[in-house]
Amino acid sequence: MTVNEFVSELKKGISGSYFFFGSEEYLIKFYIGRVRRAVLGEDETMAAFNHYVLKWGECSVEELESALASVPMMADKTLVELYCDFKKIKDHREFADLFSSFDAESTVFLLVATGDSFDAGNYARNKASEGYKIYSNIFSPVDFCAQTPSELKKWITRRFSRDNISIDNSTSEYIIERCGKDMFSLSGELDKLASAALSRNLGSVTYDLVSEITIANDEDNAFALANAIMNVDRRKALSELAACKRRQEKAPMVLGSVSKAMCDMLNVSLLMTNGCDKSEIAKKLRIHEYRAGLYMDAVRNTETARLRAAADRCREADVLMKTSRLDYIALERLICTIPSKTGAKRK
């Protein structure tokens, strides 16, 4: 189940059991809050009688069984939350047996994987992990994966609209490029920007305000990966790719971002050859000068032919990914076509 599908279910009224996992902890915590309000209401005094929060490893089996067997007091349902570090679970089937029986009519049960600890495998391509197969027979799994830039831009727009502040698409892109895609970090930066805009009676968030108020983040994964490929740094490229996998970013999205960054760098190189400065490059490619500057620094001492060859390898990987089930393997093959720097030196 995607986040959007879960939101639709939440609006209708939820019941039964849900398994929350994924790399975007901000969304997990946000929707746990939504579930609490939906099940327990706003009366905190009454909610305390029907709310159980447990952490596996710190609670006993008896405590868990007692919570799941509890009867709602002056309410329709109880809410049981069980937090678990799945890296410490050795036998998924044995663990799942603990949840085999509870009253789904009177209890909403959330099993929450902490710290991106659960490996679901590639369930979208029928390559789910053993754990995913086991828990999906008991729970409705909800994958809180890393959000795409498009989804983040919509979220940014909604955040500012709460304060009647507008923001254009390119400035939203700049915020993501500058501050990174982690929603916890972004949330803090957005709050700062909203406060600054309101205090200055600004009706919109501008590029200059973002540059002044926010803190730059070095997270630009697509650029780092593309830069490593361009600079024939196989070790760095594989390290960046491993980080993408840990964050459970979808392979086609990673390749698409890398391909775009690579093509942008190729275009920047060609424009620099024609004598264009940063301002002209930013205007022609419709990117911010901040991004244009990063690309210019990256390609300044790189032959255009190398950039073109790297872009061609991205295209080949894209074809391979779309005509097979290789997924991340296509990206790994792309990187492994890069001659290692040590090997180049020996020659």
Side-chain angles (χ1 to χ4, degrees):
M1 183 184 298
T2 66
V3 176
N4 288 336
E5 289 169 340
F6 177 71
V7 171
S8 297
E9 194 157 316
L10 190 60
K11 290 178 180 177
K12 297 175 185 176
I14 63 171
S15 61
S17 55
Y18 297 85
F19 177 26
F20 285 7
F21 66 93
S23 59
E24 192 46 81
E25 290 188 62
Y26 177 91
L27 287 179
I28 291 177
K29 292 189 175 183
F30 177 82
Y31 282 105
I32 287 173
R34 291 280 299 273
V35 169
R36 288 174 179 173
R37 288 195 296 275
V39 177
L40 303 171
E42 302 294 340
D43 188 336
E44 294 183 5
T45 302
M46 291 304 304
F49 292 102
N50 299 295
H51 189 199
Y52 302 86
V53 180
L54 306 170
K55 185 175 181 181
W56 189 247
E58 297 180 5
C59 70
S60 65
V61 174
E62 291 73 22
E63 286 176 305
L64 175 60
E65 290 176 343
S66 175
L68 291 174
S70 61
V71 178
M73 294 184 63
M74 293 177 284
D76 293 329
K77 290 178 170 56
T78 61
L79 173 62
V80 178
E81 301 171 22
L82 177 62
Y83 295 82
C84 178
D85 180 353
F86 278 86
K87 292 179 181 177
K88 297 180 180 179
I89 300 299
K90 296 180 179 179
D91 189 328
H92 291 297
R93 198 169 299 280
E94 182 180 336
F95 185 53
D97 284 342
L98 299 174
F99 322 128
S100 57
S101 61
F102 69 94
D103 186 1
E105 294 298 321
S106 62
T107 304
V108 173
F109 181 24
L110 294 185
L111 175 61
V112 183
T114 59
D116 193 17
S117 62
F118 182 71
D119 178 13
N122 192 345
Y123 58 86
R125 289 177 175 264
N126 296 319
K127 294 181 180 179
S129 67
E130 178 189 4
Y132 182 88
K133 292 176 183 177
I134 292 171
Y135 299 120
S136 61
N137 287 326
I138 305 171
F139 300 88
S140 296
V142 187
D143 187 355
F144 292 90
C145 58
Q147 299 293 281
T148 66
S150 176
E151 290 165 334
L152 288 175
K153 284 188 286 186
K154 292 176 183 176
W155 174 63
I156 289 171
T157 299
R158 290 196 301 271
R159 166 61 188 88
F160 287 129
S161 68
R162 295 207 308 261
D163 292 313
N164 296 315
I165 300 170
S166 64
I167 185 170
D168 60 36
N169 188 63
S170 62
T171 306
S172 293
E173 288 179 352
Y174 178 49
I175 291 174
I176 296 169
E177 290 172 355
R178 179 175 170 82
C179 303
K181 295 190 285 291
D182 178 79
M183 292 182 74
F184 272 120
S185 298
L186 272 176
S187 178
E189 299 299 331
L190 298 183
D191 287 344
K192 285 160 54 180
L193 285 167
S195 296
L198 290 171
S199 67
R200 301 178 189 186
N201 294 318
L202 300 176
S204 63
V205 173
T206 64
Y207 174 88
D208 290 338
L209 187 66
V210 174
S211 299
E212 176 190 349
I213 298 297
T214 63
I215 298 173
N217 188 307
D218 295 329
E219 186 204 282
D220 197 343
N221 310 311
F223 173 69
L225 181 52
N227 205 26
I229 293 171
M230 178 193 70
N231 287 312
V232 296
D233 191 341
R234 185 190 299 171
R235 179 176 297 179
K236 174 68 173 175
L238 288 173
S239 175
E240 292 293 337
L241 187 64
C244 292
K245 292 176 75 172
R246 285 195 301 273
R247 291 188 294 270
Q248 298 182 3
E249 297 181 19
K250 298 185 185 302
M253 297 299 298
V254 174
L255 179 57
S257 297
V258 170
S259 298
K260 183 181 185 305
M262 192 66 71
C263 290
D264 282 345
M265 284 193 279
L266 175 58
N267 287 328
V268 166
S269 178
L270 292 170
L271 290 170
M272 287 173 67
T273 302
N274 290 330
C276 293
D277 60 19
K278 182 166 68 174
S279 178
E280 292 172 315
I281 289 173
K283 186 175 181 180
K284 287 180 181 293
L285 297 183
R286 296 182 180 179
I287 59 177
H288 283 296
E289 290 191 14
Y290 167 80
R291 167 66 56 182
L294 286 179
Y295 286 156
M296 291 175 74
D297 290 339
V299 306
R300 199 174 304 280
N301 298 313
T302 303
E303 295 177 0
T304 302
R306 179 187 289 179
L307 289 165
R308 186 172 282 112
D312 286 341
R313 286 199 296 272
C314 288
R315 178 182 54 79
E316 291 165 3
D318 182 60
V319 172
L320 189 60
M321 192 176 289
K322 290 176 179 175
T323 56
S324 69
R325 293 189 174 185
L326 291 179
D327 205 52
Y328 262 98
I329 296 175
L331 276 161
E332 290 164 356
R333 288 185 179 180
L334 160 66
I335 292 169
C336 288
T337 63
I338 304 171
S340 66
K341 283 190 169 183
T342 55
K345 286 179 180 178
R346 283 196 298 269
K347 291 181 181 180

